[in-house]
Amino acid sequence: MPDCGTSYENEVADGYNIRNVKCSFCNCTILKQKLGKFTTLEFDLPLMKQIGGAYNIETEKVSLFWLVKHMMTFENVGFSNTVDNKKYLTCADCDAGPIGFHDLTTKESFIALSRVTHR
Amino acid sequence: MAKKTYDLLFKLLLIGDSGVGKTCILFRFSDDAFTTTFISTIGIDFKIKTVELRGKKIKLQIWDTAGQERFHTITTSYYRGAMGIMLVYDITNEKSFENIIKWLRNIDEHANEDVEKMILGNKCDMEDKRAVSKERGEAVAREHGIRFMETSAKASINIDRAFNELAEAILDKTAGREPGDHVDRVTVDRRQQSSTTGSCCNK
């Protein structure tokens, strides 16, 4: 898993993100500090850069997320069109993504720690 | 975690003919670094952006029509809860400008009557192909008492300014009003009507 090699211990305090969550490409602020709850679950997240084309989506297993219960908690974020009852999340400024996903049933959003930077 | 991280929430819509660049205003396809991605294939539904105006933290939720304008199916449900509308035409396309009048009528019919409107003449970076003068855009806006701006989503001209101005106009209207809690429950499972994810920006 891509997020196993990096230690995120220093990013979590009392179960929430210590630092602001930012886009790795354009530095846009996605989520302010202490608003994402550290959560582990296994999810096949499509790669940002696809090689195989639209009908052969390559994914990777991602397991560390910031859970955001209400979408309006985000500072800046984009929501994709719906795919299998999910919306994928993107940077609102440069459209890089997916950086996570939104579950339409639970209304919860998950930002993958490995797809963003913390500053 | 119940604490609110903002003061106000404004729902904004992008309206106008197909091909005028609405999707590019929402979805910039910045350069070809990301254009072959998964995201550009499935398309963006809406964005949440935070702006600060007069000391107030305002969340903008910005929606695109997702191609529904092609089928003339933009009706009450799409306009529901909208507080601001960006009416977009393409300065290189006369017809899209003429249709602004049609869109204004559609808004009058279906949207909340005190919705704040703004007309955007998009693609102003394409001066050599210009078909609609800035003066004509200004005149139509003046006639209807609406704000006007020329923009280029491609060259990032006036886009942020336009959204800030529209938000400010809404703020003027809502000043003194309490943020309604009902706006927190936003439905996002809009039925997909078509898979129109092809982009005018990729040309």
CSV table of all heavy atoms in Angstrom, one decimal, chain B residues 46-104:
chain,number,residue,atom,x,y,z
B,46,PHE,N,-19.9,19.4,-8.7
B,46,PHE,CA,-19.9,20.7,-8.1
B,46,PHE,C,-18.7,20.9,-7.2
B,46,PHE,O,-17.9,20.0,-7.0
B,46,PHE,CB,-21.2,20.9,-7.2
B,46,PHE,CG,-21.2,20.0,-6.0
B,46,PHE,CD1,-20.7,20.3,-4.8
B,46,PHE,CD2,-21.8,18.7,-6.1
B,46,PHE,CE1,-20.7,19.4,-3.7
B,46,PHE,CE2,-21.9,17.8,-5.0
B,46,PHE,CZ,-21.3,18.2,-3.8
B,47,LYS,N,-18.5,22.2,-6.8
B,47,LYS,CA,-17.3,22.5,-6.0
B,47,LYS,C,-17.7,23.3,-4.8
B,47,LYS,O,-18.7,24.0,-4.8
B,47,LYS,CB,-16.3,23.3,-6.8
B,47,LYS,CG,-15.4,22.5,-7.7
B,47,LYS,CD,-14.4,23.3,-8.4
B,47,LYS,CE,-13.5,22.3,-9.2
B,47,LYS,NZ,-12.5,23.1,-10.0
B,48,ILE,N,-16.9,23.1,-3.7
B,48,ILE,CA,-17.1,23.9,-2.5
B,48,ILE,C,-15.9,24.8,-2.4
B,48,ILE,O,-14.8,24.3,-2.5
B,48,ILE,CB,-17.3,23.0,-1.3
B,48,ILE,CG1,-18.6,22.3,-1.3
B,48,ILE,CG2,-17.2,23.9,0.0
B,48,ILE,CD1,-18.7,21.2,-0.3
B,49,LYS,N,-16.1,26.1,-2.4
B,49,LYS,CA,-15.0,27.0,-2.2
B,49,LYS,C,-15.3,28.0,-1.1
B,49,LYS,O,-16.4,28.4,-0.9
B,49,LYS,CB,-14.8,27.8,-3.5
B,49,LYS,CG,-14.2,27.0,-4.6
B,49,LYS,CD,-13.5,27.9,-5.6
B,49,LYS,CE,-12.8,27.0,-6.7
B,49,LYS,NZ,-11.8,27.8,-7.4
B,50,THR,N,-14.2,28.3,-0.3
B,50,THR,CA,-14.4,29.2,0.8
B,50,THR,C,-13.8,30.6,0.5
B,50,THR,O,-12.7,30.7,0.0
B,50,THR,CB,-13.7,28.7,2.0
B,50,THR,OG1,-14.2,27.4,2.3
B,50,THR,CG2,-14.0,29.5,3.3
B,51,VAL,N,-14.6,31.6,0.6
B,51,VAL,CA,-14.1,33.0,0.5
B,51,VAL,C,-14.4,33.8,1.7
B,51,VAL,O,-15.3,33.5,2.5
B,51,VAL,CB,-14.8,33.7,-0.8
B,51,VAL,CG1,-14.4,33.0,-2.0
B,51,VAL,CG2,-16.3,33.8,-0.6
B,52,GLU,N,-13.6,34.8,1.9
B,52,GLU,CA,-13.8,35.7,3.1
B,52,GLU,C,-14.2,37.0,2.6
B,52,GLU,O,-13.5,37.7,1.8
B,52,GLU,CB,-12.6,35.7,4.0
B,52,GLU,CG,-13.0,35.5,5.4
B,52,GLU,CD,-11.9,35.4,6.4
B,52,GLU,OE1,-11.2,34.4,6.4
B,52,GLU,OE2,-11.6,36.4,7.1
B,53,LEU,N,-15.4,37.5,3.0
B,53,LEU,CA,-15.9,38.8,2.6
B,53,LEU,C,-16.3,39.6,3.8
B,53,LEU,O,-17.2,39.1,4.5
B,53,LEU,CB,-17.0,38.7,1.6
B,53,LEU,CG,-16.7,38.1,0.2
B,53,LEU,CD1,-18.0,37.9,-0.6
B,53,LEU,CD2,-15.8,39.0,-0.6
B,54,ARG,N,-15.8,40.7,4.0
B,54,ARG,CA,-16.2,41.6,5.1
B,54,ARG,C,-16.2,40.8,6.4
B,54,ARG,O,-17.1,40.9,7.2
B,54,ARG,CB,-17.6,42.2,4.9
B,54,ARG,CG,-17.6,43.1,3.6
B,54,ARG,CD,-19.0,43.7,3.5
B,54,ARG,NE,-19.3,44.0,2.2
B,54,ARG,CZ,-20.5,43.7,1.6
B,54,ARG,NH1,-21.5,43.3,2.4
B,54,ARG,NH2,-20.7,44.0,0.4
B,55,GLY,N,-15.1,40.1,6.6
B,55,GLY,CA,-14.9,39.4,7.9
B,55,GLY,C,-15.8,38.2,8.0
B,55,GLY,O,-15.8,37.5,9.1
B,56,LYS,N,-16.6,37.8,7.0
B,56,LYS,CA,-17.4,36.7,7.1
B,56,LYS,C,-16.9,35.5,6.2
B,56,LYS,O,-16.4,35.8,5.1
B,56,LYS,CB,-18.8,37.0,6.6
B,56,LYS,CG,-19.7,37.8,7.6
B,56,LYS,CD,-21.1,37.6,7.3
B,56,LYS,CE,-22.1,37.9,8.4
B,56,LYS,NZ,-21.6,39.0,9.3
B,57,LYS,N,-16.9,34.4,6.8
B,57,LYS,CA,-16.4,33.2,6.1
B,57,LYS,C,-17.6,32.6,5.3
B,57,LYS,O,-18.6,32.2,5.9
B,57,LYS,CB,-15.8,32.2,7.1
B,57,LYS,CG,-14.8,31.3,6.5
B,57,LYS,CD,-14.0,30.6,7.5
B,57,LYS,CE,-13.1,29.6,6.8
B,57,LYS,NZ,-12.4,28.7,7.7
B,58,ILE,N,-17.5,32.6,4.0
B,58,ILE,CA,-18.6,32.2,3.2
B,58,ILE,C,-18.2,31.0,2.3
B,58,ILE,O,-17.2,30.9,1.6
B,58,ILE,CB,-19.0,33.3,2.2
B,58,ILE,CG1,-19.5,34.5,3.1
B,58,ILE,CG2,-20.2,32.9,1.3
B,58,ILE,CD1,-19.7,35.8,2.4
B,59,LYS,N,-19.1,30.0,2.4
B,59,LYS,CA,-18.9,28.8,1.6
B,59,LYS,C,-19.7,28.9,0.3
B,59,LYS,O,-20.9,29.2,0.4
B,59,LYS,CB,-19.4,27.5,2.3
B,59,LYS,CG,-18.6,27.2,3.6
B,59,LYS,CD,-17.4,26.3,3.4
B,59,LYS,CE,-16.7,26.3,4.7
B,59,LYS,NZ,-15.5,25.5,4.7
B,60,LEU,N,-19.0,28.8,-0.8
B,60,LEU,CA,-19.8,28.8,-2.1
B,60,LEU,C,-19.9,27.4,-2.6
B,60,LEU,O,-18.9,26.6,-2.6
B,60,LEU,CB,-19.0,29.6,-3.1
B,60,LEU,CG,-18.6,31.0,-2.8
B,60,LEU,CD1,-17.8,31.7,-3.9
B,60,LEU,CD2,-19.8,31.9,-2.5
B,61,GLN,N,-21.1,27.0,-2.9
B,61,GLN,CA,-21.3,25.7,-3.6
B,61,GLN,C,-21.7,26.0,-5.0
B,61,GLN,O,-22.7,26.5,-5.3
B,61,GLN,CB,-22.3,24.9,-2.8
B,61,GLN,CG,-22.4,23.4,-3.3
B,61,GLN,CD,-23.5,22.6,-2.7
B,61,GLN,OE1,-24.6,23.2,-2.5
B,61,GLN,NE2,-23.2,21.4,-2.4
B,62,ILE,N,-20.8,25.6,-5.9
B,62,ILE,CA,-20.9,26.0,-7.3
B,62,ILE,C,-21.3,24.8,-8.2
B,62,ILE,O,-20.6,23.8,-8.2
B,62,ILE,CB,-19.6,26.7,-7.9
B,62,ILE,CG1,-19.2,27.8,-6.9
B,62,ILE,CG2,-19.9,27.2,-9.3
B,62,ILE,CD1,-17.7,28.2,-7.1
B,63,TRP,N,-22.4,24.9,-8.9
B,63,TRP,CA,-22.9,23.8,-9.7
B,63,TRP,C,-22.9,24.1,-11.2
B,63,TRP,O,-23.2,25.2,-11.6
B,63,TRP,CB,-24.4,23.5,-9.4
B,63,TRP,CG,-24.6,23.0,-8.0
B,63,TRP,CD1,-24.6,23.8,-6.8
B,63,TRP,CD2,-24.8,21.7,-7.6
B,63,TRP,NE1,-24.9,23.0,-5.8
B,63,TRP,CE2,-25.0,21.7,-6.2
B,63,TRP,CE3,-24.9,20.4,-8.3
B,63,TRP,CZ2,-25.3,20.5,-5.4
B,63,TRP,CZ3,-25.2,19.3,-7.5
B,63,TRP,CH2,-25.4,19.3,-6.1
B,64,ASP,N,-22.6,23.1,-12.0
B,64,ASP,CA,-22.6,23.2,-13.4
B,64,ASP,C,-23.9,22.4,-13.8
B,64,ASP,O,-24.4,21.6,-13.1
B,64,ASP,CB,-21.4,22.5,-14.0
B,64,ASP,CG,-21.2,22.7,-15.5
B,64,ASP,OD1,-22.0,23.4,-16.1
B,64,ASP,OD2,-20.4,22.0,-16.1
B,65,THR,N,-24.4,22.7,-15.1
B,65,THR,CA,-25.6,22.1,-15.5
B,65,THR,C,-25.4,20.7,-16.0
B,65,THR,O,-26.4,20.0,-16.3
B,65,THR,CB,-26.3,22.9,-16.6
B,65,THR,OG1,-25.3,23.1,-17.6
B,65,THR,CG2,-26.8,24.2,-16.1
B,66,ALA,N,-24.2,20.2,-16.1
B,66,ALA,CA,-23.9,18.9,-16.6
B,66,ALA,C,-24.6,18.5,-17.9
B,66,ALA,O,-25.1,17.4,-18.1
B,66,ALA,CB,-24.3,17.8,-15.5
B,67,GLY,N,-24.7,19.5,-18.8
B,67,GLY,CA,-25.2,19.2,-20.2
B,67,GLY,C,-26.7,19.2,-20.3
B,67,GLY,O,-27.2,19.0,-21.3
B,68,GLN,N,-27.4,19.5,-19.2
B,68,GLN,CA,-28.9,19.5,-19.2
B,68,GLN,C,-29.4,20.5,-20.1
B,68,GLN,O,-30.5,20.4,-20.6
B,68,GLN,CB,-29.5,19.6,-17.8
B,68,GLN,CG,-29.3,18.5,-16.9
B,68,GLN,CD,-29.6,18.8,-15.5
B,68,GLN,OE1,-30.7,19.1,-15.2
B,68,GLN,NE2,-28.6,18.9,-14.6
B,69,GLU,N,-28.6,21.6,-20.3
B,69,GLU,CA,-29.1,22.7,-21.2
B,69,GLU,C,-29.4,22.2,-22.6
B,69,GLU,O,-30.2,22.8,-23.3
B,69,GLU,CB,-28.1,23.9,-21.1
B,69,GLU,CG,-26.8,23.7,-21.9
B,69,GLU,CD,-25.8,22.9,-21.1
B,69,GLU,OE1,-26.1,22.4,-20.0
B,69,GLU,OE2,-24.6,22.9,-21.6
B,70,ARG,N,-28.7,21.2,-23.0
B,70,ARG,CA,-28.9,20.7,-24.4
B,70,ARG,C,-30.3,20.2,-24.6
B,70,ARG,O,-30.8,20.1,-25.7
B,70,ARG,CB,-27.9,19.5,-24.6
B,70,ARG,CG,-26.5,20.0,-24.9
B,70,ARG,CD,-25.6,18.8,-24.9
B,70,ARG,NE,-24.4,19.2,-24.2
B,70,ARG,CZ,-23.2,19.1,-24.7
B,70,ARG,NH1,-23.0,18.6,-25.9
B,70,ARG,NH2,-22.1,19.5,-24.1
B,71,PHE,N,-30.9,19.7,-23.5
B,71,PHE,CA,-32.2,19.0,-23.6
B,71,PHE,C,-33.3,20.0,-23.1
B,71,PHE,O,-34.4,19.6,-22.9
B,71,PHE,CB,-32.2,17.7,-22.9
B,71,PHE,CG,-31.0,16.9,-23.2
B,71,PHE,CD1,-30.0,16.7,-22.2
B,71,PHE,CD2,-30.8,16.3,-24.4
B,71,PHE,CE1,-28.9,16.0,-22.5
B,71,PHE,CE2,-29.7,15.6,-24.7
B,71,PHE,CZ,-28.7,15.4,-23.8
B,72,HIS,N,-32.9,21.2,-22.8
B,72,HIS,CA,-33.9,22.2,-22.3
B,72,HIS,C,-34.6,21.6,-21.1
B,72,HIS,O,-35.8,21.8,-20.9
B,72,HIS,CB,-34.8,22.6,-23.4
B,72,HIS,CG,-34.1,23.2,-24.6
B,72,HIS,ND1,-33.6,24.4,-24.6
B,72,HIS,CD2,-33.8,22.6,-25.7
B,72,HIS,CE1,-33.0,24.6,-25.7
B,72,HIS,NE2,-33.1,23.5,-26.5
B,73,THR,N,-33.9,20.9,-20.2
B,73,THR,CA,-34.6,20.3,-19.0
B,73,THR,C,-34.2,21.1,-17.8
B,73,THR,O,-34.3,20.6,-16.7
B,73,THR,CB,-34.1,18.9,-18.9
B,73,THR,OG1,-32.7,18.8,-18.9
B,73,THR,CG2,-34.8,18.0,-19.9
B,74,ILE,N,-33.7,22.3,-17.9
B,74,ILE,CA,-33.4,23.1,-16.7
B,74,ILE,C,-34.7,23.7,-16.2
B,74,ILE,O,-35.2,24.6,-16.8
B,74,ILE,CB,-32.3,24.2,-17.0
B,74,ILE,CG1,-31.1,23.5,-17.5
B,74,ILE,CG2,-32.1,25.0,-15.8
B,74,ILE,CD1,-29.9,24.4,-17.6
B,75,THR,N,-35.1,23.1,-15.1
B,75,THR,CA,-36.4,23.6,-14.6
B,75,THR,C,-36.2,23.8,-13.1
B,75,THR,O,-35.1,24.0,-12.6
B,75,THR,CB,-37.5,22.5,-14.8
B,75,THR,OG1,-37.0,21.3,-14.3
B,75,THR,CG2,-37.9,22.4,-16.2
B,76,THR,N,-37.3,23.9,-12.4
B,76,THR,CA,-37.3,24.3,-11.0
B,76,THR,C,-36.4,23.6,-10.1
B,76,THR,O,-35.7,24.1,-9.3
B,76,THR,CB,-38.8,24.2,-10.5
B,76,THR,OG1,-39.6,24.8,-11.5
B,76,THR,CG2,-39.0,25.0,-9.2
B,77,SER,N,-36.3,22.2,-10.3
B,77,SER,CA,-35.5,21.5,-9.4
B,77,SER,C,-34.0,21.9,-9.4
B,77,SER,O,-33.3,21.9,-8.4
B,77,SER,CB,-35.6,20.0,-9.7
B,77,SER,OG,-35.1,19.7,-11.0
B,78,TYR,N,-33.5,22.2,-10.6
B,78,TYR,CA,-32.1,22.7,-10.7
B,78,TYR,C,-31.9,24.0,-10.0
B,78,TYR,O,-30.9,24.3,-9.4
B,78,TYR,CB,-31.7,22.7,-12.2
B,78,TYR,CG,-30.3,23.2,-12.4
B,78,TYR,CD1,-29.2,22.4,-12.0
B,78,TYR,CD2,-30.0,24.4,-12.9
B,78,TYR,CE1,-27.9,22.8,-12.2
B,78,TYR,CE2,-28.7,24.9,-13.1
B,78,TYR,CZ,-27.7,24.0,-12.7
B,78,TYR,OH,-26.4,24.4,-12.9
B,79,TYR,N,-32.9,24.9,-10.1
B,79,TYR,CA,-32.8,26.2,-9.6
B,79,TYR,C,-33.0,26.2,-8.1
B,79,TYR,O,-32.8,27.2,-7.4
B,79,TYR,CB,-33.8,27.2,-10.2
B,79,TYR,CG,-33.4,27.5,-11.6
B,79,TYR,CD1,-34.2,27.2,-12.7
B,79,TYR,CD2,-32.3,28.3,-11.9
B,79,TYR,CE1,-33.9,27.5,-14.0
B,79,TYR,CE2,-32.0,28.7,-13.2
B,79,TYR,CZ,-32.8,28.3,-14.3
B,79,TYR,OH,-32.5,28.7,-15.5
B,80,ARG,N,-33.6,25.2,-7.5
B,80,ARG,CA,-34.0,25.2,-6.1
B,80,ARG,C,-32.9,25.6,-5.2
B,80,ARG,O,-31.8,25.0,-5.2
B,80,ARG,CB,-34.6,23.8,-5.7
B,80,ARG,CG,-35.3,23.8,-4.4
B,80,ARG,CD,-36.1,22.6,-4.2
B,80,ARG,NE,-37.3,22.6,-5.1
B,80,ARG,CZ,-37.7,21.5,-5.8
B,80,ARG,NH1,-37.1,20.4,-5.7
B,80,ARG,NH2,-38.7,21.6,-6.6
B,81,GLY,N,-33.1,26.5,-4.4
B,81,GLY,CA,-32.1,27.0,-3.4
B,81,GLY,C,-31.0,27.8,-3.9
B,81,GLY,O,-30.2,28.3,-3.1
B,82,ALA,N,-31.0,28.1,-5.2
B,82,ALA,CA,-29.9,28.9,-5.8
B,82,ALA,C,-30.1,30.3,-5.4
B,82,ALA,O,-31.1,30.9,-5.4
B,82,ALA,CB,-30.0,28.8,-7.3
B,83,MET,N,-29.0,30.9,-4.9
B,83,MET,CA,-29.0,32.3,-4.5
B,83,MET,C,-28.2,33.2,-5.5
B,83,MET,O,-28.4,34.4,-5.5
B,83,MET,CB,-28.3,32.4,-3.1
B,83,MET,CG,-29.0,31.6,-2.1
B,83,MET,SD,-28.0,31.1,-0.7
B,83,MET,CE,-28.2,32.5,0.3
B,84,GLY,N,-27.4,32.5,-6.3
B,84,GLY,CA,-26.7,33.3,-7.4
B,84,GLY,C,-26.6,32.5,-8.7
B,84,GLY,O,-26.5,31.3,-8.6
B,85,ILE,N,-26.7,33.2,-9.8
B,85,ILE,CA,-26.6,32.6,-11.1
B,85,ILE,C,-25.6,33.3,-12.0
B,85,ILE,O,-25.7,34.5,-12.2
B,85,ILE,CB,-28.0,32.5,-11.8
B,85,ILE,CG1,-28.9,31.6,-11.0
B,85,ILE,CG2,-27.8,32.0,-13.2
B,85,ILE,CD1,-30.3,31.6,-11.6
B,86,MET,N,-24.7,32.6,-12.5
B,86,MET,CA,-23.7,33.1,-13.5
B,86,MET,C,-24.3,32.7,-14.9
B,86,MET,O,-24.4,31.6,-15.2
B,86,MET,CB,-22.4,32.4,-13.4
B,86,MET,CG,-21.6,32.8,-12.2
B,86,MET,SD,-21.1,34.5,-12.3
B,86,MET,CE,-19.8,34.6,-11.0
B,87,LEU,N,-24.7,33.8,-15.6
B,87,LEU,CA,-25.2,33.5,-17.0
B,87,LEU,C,-24.1,33.7,-18.0
B,87,LEU,O,-23.6,34.8,-18.1
B,87,LEU,CB,-26.2,34.7,-17.2
B,87,LEU,CG,-27.7,34.3,-17.2
B,87,LEU,CD1,-28.5,35.6,-17.1
B,87,LEU,CD2,-28.1,33.5,-18.4
B,88,VAL,N,-23.7,32.6,-18.6
B,88,VAL,CA,-22.5,32.7,-19.4
B,88,VAL,C,-22.8,32.6,-20.9
B,88,VAL,O,-23.6,31.8,-21.3
B,88,VAL,CB,-21.6,31.5,-19.0
B,88,VAL,CG1,-20.2,31.7,-19.7
B,88,VAL,CG2,-21.4,31.3,-17.5
B,89,TYR,N,-22.2,33.5,-21.7
B,89,TYR,CA,-22.2,33.3,-23.1
B,89,TYR,C,-20.7,33.4,-23.6
B,89,TYR,O,-19.8,33.7,-22.8
B,89,TYR,CB,-23.0,34.4,-23.8
B,89,TYR,CG,-22.5,35.8,-23.8
B,89,TYR,CD1,-21.6,36.3,-24.8
B,89,TYR,CD2,-22.8,36.7,-22.7
B,89,TYR,CE1,-21.1,37.6,-24.7
B,89,TYR,CE2,-22.3,38.0,-22.7
B,89,TYR,CZ,-21.4,38.4,-23.7
B,89,TYR,OH,-20.9,39.7,-23.6
B,90,ASP,N,-20.6,33.1,-24.9
B,90,ASP,CA,-19.2,33.0,-25.5
B,90,ASP,C,-19.1,34.2,-26.4
B,90,ASP,O,-19.9,34.4,-27.3
B,90,ASP,CB,-19.2,31.7,-26.3
B,90,ASP,CG,-18.0,31.5,-27.1
B,90,ASP,OD1,-17.2,32.5,-27.2
B,90,ASP,OD2,-17.8,30.4,-27.8
B,91,ILE,N,-18.1,35.0,-26.2
B,91,ILE,CA,-17.9,36.3,-27.0
B,91,ILE,C,-17.6,36.0,-28.5
B,91,ILE,O,-17.7,36.9,-29.3
B,91,ILE,CB,-16.9,37.2,-26.4
B,91,ILE,CG1,-15.5,36.6,-26.5
B,91,ILE,CG2,-17.2,37.6,-25.0
B,91,ILE,CD1,-14.4,37.6,-26.7
B,92,THR,N,-17.3,34.7,-28.8
B,92,THR,CA,-17.0,34.4,-30.2
B,92,THR,C,-18.3,33.8,-30.8
B,92,THR,O,-18.2,33.3,-32.0
B,92,THR,CB,-15.8,33.4,-30.3
B,92,THR,OG1,-16.2,32.1,-29.8
B,92,THR,CG2,-14.6,33.9,-29.5
B,93,ASN,N,-19.4,33.7,-30.1
B,93,ASN,CA,-20.6,33.0,-30.6
B,93,ASN,C,-21.8,33.9,-30.4
B,93,ASN,O,-22.3,34.0,-29.3
B,93,ASN,CB,-20.7,31.7,-29.8
B,93,ASN,CG,-21.9,30.9,-30.2
B,93,ASN,OD1,-22.9,31.4,-30.8
B,93,ASN,ND2,-21.9,29.6,-29.9
B,94,GLU,N,-22.2,34.5,-31.4
B,94,GLU,CA,-23.3,35.5,-31.4
B,94,GLU,C,-24.6,34.8,-30.8
B,94,GLU,O,-25.3,35.4,-30.0
B,94,GLU,CB,-23.6,35.9,-32.9
B,94,GLU,CG,-24.8,36.7,-33.1
B,94,GLU,CD,-24.7,38.2,-32.7
B,94,GLU,OE1,-23.6,38.7,-32.7
B,94,GLU,OE2,-25.7,38.8,-32.2
B,95,LYS,N,-24.9,33.6,-31.3
B,95,LYS,CA,-26.1,32.9,-30.9
B,95,LYS,C,-26.2,32.7,-29.3
B,95,LYS,O,-27.2,32.9,-28.7
B,95,LYS,CB,-26.1,31.5,-31.6
B,95,LYS,CG,-27.4,30.8,-31.4
B,95,LYS,CD,-28.5,31.2,-32.4
B,95,LYS,CE,-29.9,30.6,-31.9
B,95,LYS,NZ,-30.9,31.6,-32.2
B,96,SER,N,-25.0,32.4,-28.8
B,96,SER,CA,-25.0,32.2,-27.3
B,96,SER,C,-25.3,33.5,-26.6
B,96,SER,O,-25.9,33.5,-25.5
B,96,SER,CB,-23.6,31.6,-26.9
B,96,SER,OG,-22.6,32.6,-26.9
B,97,PHE,N,-25.0,34.6,-27.2
B,97,PHE,CA,-25.3,35.9,-26.6
B,97,PHE,C,-26.7,36.2,-26.8
B,97,PHE,O,-27.4,36.6,-25.8
B,97,PHE,CB,-24.4,37.0,-27.3
B,97,PHE,CG,-24.7,38.4,-26.8
B,97,PHE,CD1,-24.4,38.8,-25.5
B,97,PHE,CD2,-25.3,39.3,-27.7
B,97,PHE,CE1,-24.7,40.1,-25.1
B,97,PHE,CE2,-25.6,40.6,-27.2
B,97,PHE,CZ,-25.3,41.0,-25.9
B,98,GLU,N,-27.3,36.0,-27.9
B,98,GLU,CA,-28.7,36.2,-28.1
B,98,GLU,C,-29.6,35.3,-27.2
B,98,GLU,O,-30.6,35.8,-26.7
B,98,GLU,CB,-29.1,35.8,-29.6
B,98,GLU,CG,-28.6,36.9,-30.6
B,98,GLU,CD,-28.7,36.4,-32.0
B,98,GLU,OE1,-29.3,35.4,-32.3
B,98,GLU,OE2,-28.1,37.1,-32.9
B,99,ASN,N,-29.1,34.2,-26.9
B,99,ASN,CA,-29.8,33.3,-26.0
B,99,ASN,C,-29.8,33.7,-24.5
B,99,ASN,O,-30.5,33.1,-23.7
B,99,ASN,CB,-29.3,31.8,-26.1
B,99,ASN,CG,-29.8,31.1,-27.4
B,99,ASN,OD1,-30.9,31.6,-27.9
B,99,ASN,ND2,-29.2,30.1,-27.8
B,100,ILE,N,-29.0,34.6,-24.2
B,100,ILE,CA,-29.0,35.1,-22.8
B,100,ILE,C,-30.4,35.6,-22.4
B,100,ILE,O,-30.8,35.4,-21.3
B,100,ILE,CB,-27.9,36.3,-22.7
B,100,ILE,CG1,-26.5,35.8,-22.7
B,100,ILE,CG2,-28.2,37.1,-21.4
B,100,ILE,CD1,-26.1,35.0,-21.5
B,101,ILE,N,-31.0,36.2,-23.4
B,101,ILE,CA,-32.4,36.7,-23.1
B,101,ILE,C,-33.3,35.5,-22.8
B,101,ILE,O,-34.1,35.6,-21.9
B,101,ILE,CB,-33.0,37.4,-24.4
B,101,ILE,CG1,-32.0,38.6,-24.7
B,101,ILE,CG2,-34.4,37.9,-24.2
B,101,ILE,CD1,-31.9,39.7,-23.7
B,102,LYS,N,-33.1,34.4,-23.6
B,102,LYS,CA,-33.9,33.2,-23.3
B,102,LYS,C,-33.7,32.7,-21.9
B,102,LYS,O,-34.6,32.2,-21.2
B,102,LYS,CB,-33.6,32.1,-24.3
B,102,LYS,CG,-34.4,32.1,-25.5
B,102,LYS,CD,-34.2,30.8,-26.3
B,102,LYS,CE,-34.6,31.0,-27.7
B,102,LYS,NZ,-33.9,29.9,-28.6
B,103,TRP,N,-32.4,32.6,-21.5
B,103,TRP,CA,-32.0,32.1,-20.2
B,103,TRP,C,-32.6,33.0,-19.1
B,103,TRP,O,-33.0,32.5,-18.1
B,103,TRP,CB,-30.5,32.0,-20.1
B,103,TRP,CG,-29.9,30.9,-20.9
B,103,TRP,CD1,-29.1,30.9,-22.0
B,103,TRP,CD2,-30.2,29.5,-20.7
B,103,TRP,NE1,-28.8,29.7,-22.4
B,103,TRP,CE2,-29.5,28.8,-21.7
B,103,TRP,CE3,-31.0,28.8,-19.8
B,103,TRP,CZ2,-29.5,27.3,-21.8
B,103,TRP,CZ3,-31.0,27.4,-19.8
B,103,TRP,CH2,-30.3,26.7,-20.8
B,104,LEU,N,-32.6,34.3,-19.4
B,104,LEU,CA,-33.1,35.2,-18.4
B,104,LEU,C,-34.6,34.9,-18.1
B,104,LEU,O,-35.1,34.9,-17.0
B,104,LEU,CB,-33.0,36.7,-18.8
B,104,LEU,CG,-31.6,37.3,-18.5
B,104,LEU,CD1,-31.4,38.6,-19.3
B,104,LEU,CD2,-31.3,37.5,-17.0
